[in-house]
């Protein structure tokens, strides 16, 4: 079967970097473009991180385009307290030589989807600003995307606030546009992603990947919870789940739902209000994960790169 083409809109970000690594290594995926957005850290840093990861991993021919540096209607939030001031925790990658693409992320998203309708899967693992801007300019992208998967939201509680998950909280007006665009949003939210933790046992297996593991995967997976491997619950790898969903939806049990985004609530702004009983669903919400199958899939894909990685 031909690999599935994907465009990844992201804000690297520890777990965005892991998502990029899976997008690059899963032999059933073809990464065709990367777009960046301000989120975990400022746009200049998320773009620099994406460019450095591209060269470190060697997908030099895949365009990386910078997008929105601020949310649609409110000041930028960040998550540097989780991802570190530069966005990739303790990791220092060599400076990138190749520049970003000479067009805005919104144009790259529209052009890529327009060029082959029905074949490119769109994944968003940061605030939804670029996607909302693309929909405003070209609503037909909602028809052209082969599927649309986000990491964001939740149906129980949040992490940025008790009610709101970070990616939705950072730009709720953009999220509102995205959920109302007439496509099915696969909402890989916190309730799902918190099932897939990089526990000490998983981190031990990451070390077995050789230099790719010790230089890249382990630092990205242990920065804020368990640098010494002693935290039993491990670190979350949210965005990785969204990329895994494209080739392995069988690992997820998902339910249709109508999702609305709260944009005004004093205590609830950024909340995704999920109605599993609605007769008019606009979303598919993964609720349960085959955790062992997920890690077999992810570590198996990374092993393939490990064996051909220049530093391995
Ligand atoms: C999401 O927020 C970011 O900090 C992570 O990269 C992930 O996309 C989790 O709430
Ligand atoms: Ca992210």
């Amino acid at each position: 079967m031909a690999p599935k083409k994907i465009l990844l809109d992201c804000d690297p970000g520890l777990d965005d970097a892991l998502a990029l690594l899976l997008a690059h290594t899963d032999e059933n995926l073809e990464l065709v473009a990367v777009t960046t957005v301000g989120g975990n850290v400022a746009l200049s840093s998320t773009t620099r991180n994406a460019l450095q990861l591209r060269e470190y991993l060697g997908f030099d021919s895949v365009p990386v385009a910078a997008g929105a540096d601020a949310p649609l209607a409110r000041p930028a939030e960040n998550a540097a307290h989780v991802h570190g001031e530069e966005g990739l925790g303790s990791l220092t990658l060599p400076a990138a030589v190749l520049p970003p693409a000479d067009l805005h992320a919104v144009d790259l998203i529209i052009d890529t989807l327009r060029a082959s309708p029905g074949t490119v899967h769109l994944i968003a693992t940061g605030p939804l600003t670029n996607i909302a801007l693309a929909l405003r300019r070209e609503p037909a992208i909602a028809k052209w995307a082969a599927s649309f998967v986000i990491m964001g939201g939740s149906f129980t509680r949040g992490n940025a606030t008790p009610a709101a998950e970070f990616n939705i909280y950072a730009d709720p007006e953009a999220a509102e546009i995205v959920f109302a665009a007439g496509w099915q949003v696969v909402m890989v939210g916190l309730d799902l992603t918190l099932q897939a933790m990089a526990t000490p046992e998983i981190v031990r297996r990451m070390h077995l990947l050789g230099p790719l593991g010790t230089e890249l995967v382990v630092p990205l997976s242990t920065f804020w919870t368990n640098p010494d491997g002693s935290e039993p619950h491990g670190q979350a790898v949210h965005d990785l789940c969204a990329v895994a969903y494209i080739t392995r939806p069988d690992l997820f049990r998902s339910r249709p739902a109508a999702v609305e985004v709260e944009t005004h609530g004093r205590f609830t702004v950024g909340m995704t209000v999920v109605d599993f009983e609605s007769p008019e669903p606009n979303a598919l919400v993964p609720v349960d994960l085959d955790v062992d199958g997920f890690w077999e899939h992810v570590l198996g894909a990374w092993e393939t790169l490990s064996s051909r990685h220049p530093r391995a």
Side-chain angles (χ1 to χ4, degrees):
M1 203 179 57
K4 291 181 171 172
K5 295 182 193 299
I6 56 171
L7 185 158
L8 181 57
D9 183 74
C10 57
D11 62 335
L14 301 167
D15 53 333
D16 301 81
L18 295 172
L20 266 173
L21 179 58
L22 182 62
H24 173 53
T25 50
D26 182 343
E27 60 182 12
N28 292 309
L29 290 177
E30 179 189 350
L31 182 61
V32 296
V34 175
T35 51
T36 57
V37 64
N40 285 324
V41 285
L43 177 72
S44 55
S45 299
T46 61
T47 305
R48 179 207 54 218
N49 293 343
L51 293 169
Q52 291 182 344
L53 285 160
R54 173 173 71 171
E55 280 176 46
Y56 180 86
L57 296 171
F59 53 92
D60 297 4
S61 61
V62 176
V64 173
D69 61 0
L72 296 185
R74 48 184 86 221
E77 300 282 340
N78 70 58
H81 59 291
V82 174
H83 299 264
E85 287 303 315
E86 299 300 326
L88 293 183
S90 58
L91 209 62
T92 317
L93 293 173
V97 176
L98 299 170
D102 194 17
L103 80 176
H104 193 277
V106 169
D107 295 310
L108 184 57
I109 292 168
I110 294 171
D111 293 354
T112 305
L113 296 176
R114 179 189 283 126
S116 43
T119 65
V120 180
H121 299 260
L122 182 60
I123 309 175
T125 61
L128 292 163
T129 322
N130 287 341
I131 310 298
L133 290 170
L135 281 164
R136 268 188 184 166
R137 188 170 320 155
E138 181 47 275
I141 66 164
K143 289 203 292 277
W144 295 336
S147 71
F148 177 53
V149 180
I150 70 164
M151 188 284 131
S154 75
F155 53 88
T156 55
R157 57 170 293 135
N159 56 1
T161 73
E165 181 281 327
F166 175 79
N167 288 338
I168 308 297
Y169 180 73
D171 197 344
E173 285 75 21
E176 185 179 39
I177 291 170
V178 165
F179 275 98
W183 52 7
Q184 175 184 261
V185 180
V186 179
M187 188 185 97
V188 180
L190 285 179
D191 307 284
L192 188 288
T193 63
L194 291 175
Q195 296 171 38
M197 307 296 279
T199 60
E201 171 55 23
I202 295 297
V203 172
R204 267 192 290 281
R205 294 174 64 187
M206 290 172 170
H207 275 287
L208 302 178
L209 295 168
L212 179 73
T214 49
E215 282 182 16
L216 193 78
V217 176
V218 172
L220 289 171
S221 305
T222 57
F223 174 67
W224 62 270
T225 48
N226 59 337
D228 61 359
S230 61
E231 164 58 55
H233 300 297
Q235 184 170 309
V237 292
H238 310 284
D239 297 342
L240 191 51
C241 301
V243 173
Y245 181 86
I246 300 286
T247 47
R248 294 298 309 275
D250 58 300
L251 297 171
F252 299 73
R253 185 174 72 84
S254 303
R255 295 179 64 191
V259 177
E260 303 275 1
V261 178
E262 175 60 77
T263 56
H264 292 296
R266 186 168 154 217
F267 301 111
T268 52
V269 68
M271 181 178 184
T272 44
V273 180
V274 179
D275 180 3
F276 287 114
E277 307 302 324
S278 170
E280 294 180 30
N282 61 347
L284 186 65
V285 181
V287 293
D288 285 316
L289 179 68
D290 171 352
V291 177
D292 292 343
F294 170 82
W295 282 114
E296 289 310 317
H297 169 63
V298 169
L299 293 169
W302 289 347
E303 266 166 23
T304 66
L305 181 65
S306 189
S307 59
R308 60 193 154 90
H309 190 256
R311 292 172 184 79

